[in-house]
Each structure stands twice: as structure tokens, then as C-alpha cells.
Amino acid sequence: MDAWEVSVPDDRAEQRTCLICGDRATGLHYGIISCEGCKGFFKRSICNKRVYRCSRDKNCVMSRKQRNRCQYCRLLKCLQMGMNRKAIREDGMPGGRNKSIGPVQISEEEIERIMSGQEFEEEANHWSNNGDSDHSSPGNGVSESNQPSPVSTLSSRSVELNGFTAFREQYIGTPVPPHYQYIPHLFSYSAHSPLLPPQARSLDPQSHSLIHQLVSAEDLEPLGTPMLIEDGYKVTQAELFALLCRLADELLFRQIAWIKKLPFFCELSIKDYTCLLSSTWQELILLSSLTVYSKHIFGDLADVTSKYSPSDEELHRFSEEGMEVMERLIYLYRKFNQLKVSNEEYACMKAINFLNQDIRGLANASQLEQLNKRYWYICQDFTEYKYPHQPNRFPDLMMCLPEIRYIAGKMVNVPLEQLPLLFKAVLHSCKTSGSKE
């Protein structure tokens, strides 16, 4: 719960209903009594600078069952009822800056500026005029010490990634903005130029040896799950779901084989490596899918998902958890695509993510902490040696790991029957945006 929020007492909670949709309220969120769903929707809309459109008369009925049908009218009602957008920190993290707890009243003109995107465009112009020189600010996810922020977030300057609404337009005729609004500063690596020219340096022999061992442990061969499909064939939801399961099986099998080839495998107890695998396998699969196997996933699998047409019911029932996962996956894909992660960096990132000493039930957390630090510094040594003209590359890579953990944790809340639509939306958006670059 955000620090700004106030919980509704238990004995009164049942009597409170959300002022936006009428669902059961869970507290005072951003100034008004609302449910968790509308709280999250408002936060994402403001943080990600959404511009929605209504295909009707801008007076759609808001109820628990119908609130997802028109995002424009839902955000409009949030503003009209007094939700305070200034209580949301610019980086989208908990703990709003404005600590007052009442609703706010804004004019119809101000509401129109927000709904039309005019206010967001002015903010974007402000950042482009004043913020380009500061690429190591906390708002960019990097602390003053040039190390990654402890928690990865979507920047307030994040790109408009609402690819799901594009599917609504394609299948049920809801118009949406035709393209992304602008690209985050976070992707502008060409602007990172140190004051002094980088000095030539060599890679530490120990780093070279350990990185070679990590890469040797990887199976970098193309995935074997067949994804060929005949032209004109219509893929069903069940068929696509079965394909996703087979693909996940192959990726999981590769992670298990990888663990047994790690240079530190013999140092781990059976309890610890079992605990680590059971806690991180989803993150390992996600990281590999976005990097070393991305051509297969965003190529062959995208071709299969393009042959799958979701029903109107599937589109309407797509959950808010699915929306958030979709947006963050597209964001992460674009970031990895910009970074062009090498096999050596991928192998280090994977080892660092796997060696998570914060997982419960570990027998020797201190040993894992030392191993984690070892590969952290090895990865830093390699990136500084290999990419001397990208001084922020290592922090940018490390920023991706907490984001991957967050997405993997959120994916378990997405209903299984919604996974085919989720993958179709993500792969379609990524393939479309990739073809424009």
C-alpha cells in the first residue's frame, strides 16, 4: 500500500463502495474512496501518460463489470470524482509526494487538457528542453553513485505502450492513438559521452576465465519446439496455449541443464540450488526469451500468434494484471533491443539473478551473497572493458533484473486462459515497433 493511502477500518469496509465503479472499496486512494482496480488503473494511466478515446458519447456506464470497456470514461470519472494525480510520484513508485488526503477539484478545462494529452505533451517538451543532460539522475533509474536504483520502475517519460487497445481497434472497432508518443530518455545511449576520452584497458584474466565458463554452460542453439504453420491456418486458443506450454517445457529443461554446468554448482548444497531453481525459473526463462532466444520468440512464435484471433469475450475479460504485464514486457523488450545484450552479459545477468540470497529457506545465504558479488563485479569489469564509450551500460543492465523479477511475479496472477491473448498482444506490438526502427 502506498504511504499516501489510508485504509478503511475493517468494520466499515463492507459499507464503502468505490466512487468510480461501485466495487467494494479498500481504502482512501489518491484522495477518494476507491477499489484496488480503479486505484491501479488511475496510477498506470497517469504514470504512463495515457491518452484514451471513447467510441461512444463519453458517458459510458462505470460498474465493476463494465469498467474495463472504456478506459477514457473510467479515467474521466477518476478525475471528476477528485482523484489527485499529483499524489503519484513521477517515477510511479509508492509514497506520493503530496500527503494531503482529500479529493481535489480541477476545472473542466484542466480535465480536458489531461484527457487530450495536451498536458503530457507540455511535460515531454519540458523534459526534452531541460532534462537531456542528466542521464544519471534517480528518475532515470540510476543513483548518484552510478549504480542501479534498488527498485526498477517504468519512468514517467515511458513510451505509450498500450498495445492491447490496438487489438480492441482491430477486432471491435475502438479507435486508439496510432503510434507511440515518444521514446524514453533511458534508451538514448548515444548521448552518454564522458568528459574525458576512455582509456584503453584490459580485461582481468580471472574475469575472462569465469565469463568463458558461464557462456560455455549455456545452450545457445536455436529452440527445438516446432513452430511452422501453414498459410491461411487459423490457430485456436487451445492450440496456442498448448504450444506455449511446450515452449516453456523446453526452456525450463535448458535452465536445469544450465545449472548443472555452472562453475560454482559443486559449491552449492542440494537444498540451496533446488530452492534457487524453484524460485527463479520463471525469471530465467523470461530473461532468455528476451535476449538469446528473442529471434525465435519474436519471429517464429510471433508468426504463430498472428494466426490466432481472440474472441470479443476474451478481449473484454482481459485482466488488469494482464495489461500491466503486457506493458512492462513491451518496455523491457525495447530496452533489451536497444542494449543488444551480448552472450557474455546475458550469462552474467542470468547468474546474478539466479544467485538471489534473499530467497527464503536457503541454507547458506552468505555464500550466495559472495557468489553474487563475484559475478556482479565480473559483469561490471566486462562491460567497462568491452563498451568503454557506454559508461552507463552496466547500471542499465542491472536495472533490468528487478524489472524481470517483478514481471515474473505478476505473471502468476494472469489467468491461464488469458495467456494466448497476452502473448499475441506483446509479440505483435514488439514486432511492429521493431520493424519501424
Side-chain angles (χ1 to χ4, degrees), residues 169-219:
E169 178 182 15
Q170 179 179 352
Y171 291 107
I172 58 178
T174 303
V176 294
H179 49 71
Y180 297 135
Q181 292 180 332
Y182 48 89
I183 298 176
H185 285 28
L186 201 58
F187 298 158
S188 303
Y189 296 103
S190 59
H192 297 320
S193 55
L195 296 177
L196 297 175
Q199 300 297 314
R201 49 159 293 185
S202 59
L203 182 63
D204 181 88
Q206 184 180 15
S207 296
H208 182 276
S209 175
L210 288 173
I211 287 179
H212 176 72
Q213 293 178 50
L214 284 182
V215 175
S216 298
E218 291 291 341
D219 183 353

Side-chain angles (χ1 to χ4, degrees), residues 301-316:
L301 182 59
D303 291 339
V304 176
T305 59
S306 68
K307 304 293 193 303
Y308 158 64
S309 298
S311 64
D312 288 356
E313 182 181 5
E314 290 174 72
L315 289 162
H316 286 306

Side-chain angles (χ1 to χ4, degrees), residues 129-252:
N129 292 332
N130 299 295
D132 286 350
S133 61
D134 182 11
H135 293 282
S136 60
S137 66
N140 269 343
V142 182
S143 66
E144 293 178 357
S145 63
N146 203 35
Q147 294 299 320
S149 169
V151 181
S152 177
T153 68
L154 287 176
S155 167
S156 67
R157 289 161 258 171
S158 180
V159 76
E160 172 59 57
L161 297 173
N162 196 359
F164 176 69
T165 53
F167 283 96
R168 292 180 60 85
E169 178 182 15
Q170 179 179 352
Y171 291 107
I172 58 178
T174 303
V176 294
H179 49 71
Y180 297 135
Q181 292 180 332
Y182 48 89
I183 298 176
H185 285 28
L186 201 58
F187 298 158
S188 303
Y189 296 103
S190 59
H192 297 320
S193 55
L195 296 177
L196 297 175
Q199 300 297 314
R201 49 159 293 185
S202 59
L203 182 63
D204 181 88
Q206 184 180 15
S207 296
H208 182 276
S209 175
L210 288 173
I211 287 179
H212 176 72
Q213 293 178 50
L214 284 182
V215 175
S216 298
E218 291 291 341
D219 183 353
L220 300 176
E221 292 296 317
L223 297 173
T225 301
M227 296 186 193
L228 296 177
I229 187 169
E230 296 178 4
D231 291 337
Y233 184 81
K234 297 296 183 182
V235 177
T236 66
Q237 182 191 42
E239 288 172 332
L240 180 53
F241 182 76
L243 174 60
L244 294 173
C245 289
R246 288 197 298 272
L247 186 59
D249 285 344
E250 180 182 1
L251 289 168
L252 178 58

Side-chain angles (χ1 to χ4, degrees), residues 42 58 118 133 163 337 356 435:
F42 182 72
K58 300 183 180 180
Q118 184 178 353
S133 61
N337 196 44
N356 183 0
S435 64

Side-chain angles (χ1 to χ4, degrees), residues 102-118:
V104 296
Q105 291 184 346
I106 58 177
S107 65
E108 291 295 327
E109 291 78 11
E110 192 172 357
I111 289 178
E112 177 59 29
R113 285 163 56 83
I114 297 169
M115 299 302 297
S116 66
Q118 184 178 353

Side-chain angles (χ1 to χ4, degrees), residues 247-265:
L247 186 59
D249 285 344
E250 180 182 1
L251 289 168
L252 178 58
F253 178 81
R254 291 196 178 199
Q255 306 319 312
I256 296 173
W258 165 76
I259 292 174
K260 296 178 180 179
K261 297 178 183 177
L262 288 171
F264 52 81
F265 174 73

